[in-house]
Every structure is written in C-alpha cells, then in structure tokens.
Amino acid sequence: MAAPELPRSLRRASNRGAGPRDRRPSQRLLDAADLGLLTRTNTVPGTAGRRAVDRATYLRRRAAEPTLSPREAAGHRVAGSRLKAVTFYTTDPPRRFTIEGEGITRREVRRGGAYLHSVRTLIAELRRHPEQAERIKRRWESRVRHRAPIAGYALLATADAVIALADQDRQSGEDPVFDSGRSRPGRRRRRPSRRRR
C-alpha cells in the first residue's frame, strides 16, 4: 500500500530548515510525526520534518522505558551504569571463574578475554601439530605464567588443566562472560561496510 500523499502545506513546512538545535518543531509537525504521516523515509536530515520525526521517536521510547535515561531508552548504556564481568580460569583449585562488580576494571575484562583467546589458540595449535604438543604447552605456560592476576586471582597457567576446563565448558555449552559495563549486551550491531565507488 502506497504512503498517503502529504498536503502541500505540510510538505512545505516539513522541508523548512530545522534552525537552531534548541528550537522545537511546530505542534502541527509533531502531530503529523506522531500519527506516522511524517517518517524517516519522507523527510530529509536537517529539516523541521526530520526533527519532528526524531522527537516523536524519542517521546515513544521515553514512554516505553520511563525509568531509563534518554540515552539508555535508545538502547545505549552509560558507562558505569551496569556492573562489569569477566570469565577466566584461575588456580587453587583450578576452576572456571566469573567475577563481576565494582572492583573489576575494563582493562581486566579485556585481559580476561585475551587470556581465553590464548587458551583457544593453544588448543587449535595442539590439534594442528600434535607431534609438537610438549613444546607448544611449555611455550604457552611460559607466556601465561608472567601475566598479572585479574582482580587478585591468579590465571591458571597449567596447559593440561586449562585444556580439561575448556573441554568441560564445551560439553556443558557454557559461554564465557565478558561485559565492560558500557553497552547493553546483545544490542551492539556491526555496521555493514560501505563499498567505495
């Protein structure tokens, strides 16, 4: 079904420049956007009509999530508004460990991710070169042994124990947790790359 034709006066008002950032669109344009007559497809960025559409979208989000800030209602989390969390393998006794809370930094979350990435790399190398297993394990243990603890917990640097824990995780289907506290999990989207012409 084709979109309804806009009245000429409404189209003219919609196409006017938006003006200063603090200037709100007219009530007529806001009502048209709220009714769905003005949309992102029939308005142009920088015009009063597009500003009315954006305002109507903002108000709908606020109504749906009244306890959140405007930024959070739009799908973003303000830094520090949610606890950070990270999963890694620790020692004494060797185990899978997830820590979260105020005491962990974003840097530690990144380091935890790098550690588990090194575990996956170790396992992949062992599969590719089983004849060099002992050398690969020794080299991995030597690198990990010098890494700093995460939130005071030492990283497990025994290759055989790490491989056993990774196998348990694979069998149980448990995924590691990495949350820097900055973005809402599951809401991040990779933008499609634009081809240069």
Side-chain angles (χ1 to χ4, degrees):
M1 183 177 176
E5 182 71 21
L6 294 177
R8 185 178 299 172
S9 60
L10 180 61
R11 190 168 59 246
R12 205 166 37 237
S14 170
N15 289 333
R16 288 193 187 113
R21 291 184 63 140
D22 59 346
R23 180 189 294 170
R24 289 196 177 176
S26 69
Q27 192 60 46
R28 182 184 182 206
L29 291 179
L30 288 171
D31 291 342
D34 196 43
L35 290 170
L37 294 174
L38 294 178
T39 65
R40 290 186 70 81
T41 57
N42 66 8
T43 56
V44 179
T47 62
R50 177 60 66 86
R51 186 170 287 180
V53 170
D54 291 342
R55 176 79 181 160
T57 302
Y58 161 80
L59 291 174
R60 278 194 294 272
R61 284 174 175 162
R62 286 310 308 270
E65 302 260 23
T67 60
L68 298 181
S69 71
R71 182 169 171 75
E72 290 175 307
H76 305 283
R77 289 292 185 190
V78 178
S81 65
R82 194 182 61 253
L83 297 178
K84 293 176 278 296
V86 62
T87 297
F88 55 96
Y89 301 138
T90 188
T91 185
D92 297 328
R95 66 194 188 280
R96 180 185 199 270
F97 192 66
T98 299
I99 186 169
E100 63 179 325
E102 295 293 336
I104 189 167
T105 65
R106 283 196 298 272
R107 186 177 180 187
E108 287 174 318
V109 173
R110 286 195 300 270
R111 285 178 39 234
Y115 169 75
L116 283 191
H117 176 71
S118 79
V119 172
R120 288 191 295 273
T121 302
L122 165 68
I123 293 169
E125 283 188 23
L126 289 171
R127 286 182 183 147
R128 279 196 303 269
H129 308 288
E131 73 284 356
Q132 301 176 29
E134 291 309 312
R135 184 182 65 81
I136 291 170
K137 289 177 185 178
R138 280 197 308 272
R139 190 178 60 196
W140 183 85
E141 289 173 350
S142 175
R143 283 197 306 263
V144 173
R145 201 171 287 123
H146 299 292
R147 294 189 183 184
I150 294 179
Y153 292 88
L155 296 172
L156 181 59
T158 306
D160 288 331
V162 160
I163 293 165
L165 287 171
D167 191 51
Q168 284 178 16
D169 284 352
R170 184 182 57 77
Q171 290 178 14
S172 68
E174 279 195 83
D175 290 327
V177 177
F178 302 106
D179 190 349
S180 66
R182 300 187 77 175
S183 61
R184 182 182 294 182
R187 292 298 293 267
R188 293 180 68 181
R189 296 287 182 269
R190 183 177 295 172
R191 290 184 179 180
S193 57
R194 293 182 179 176
R195 292 183 181 177
R196 293 183 179 178
R197 295 182 178 177

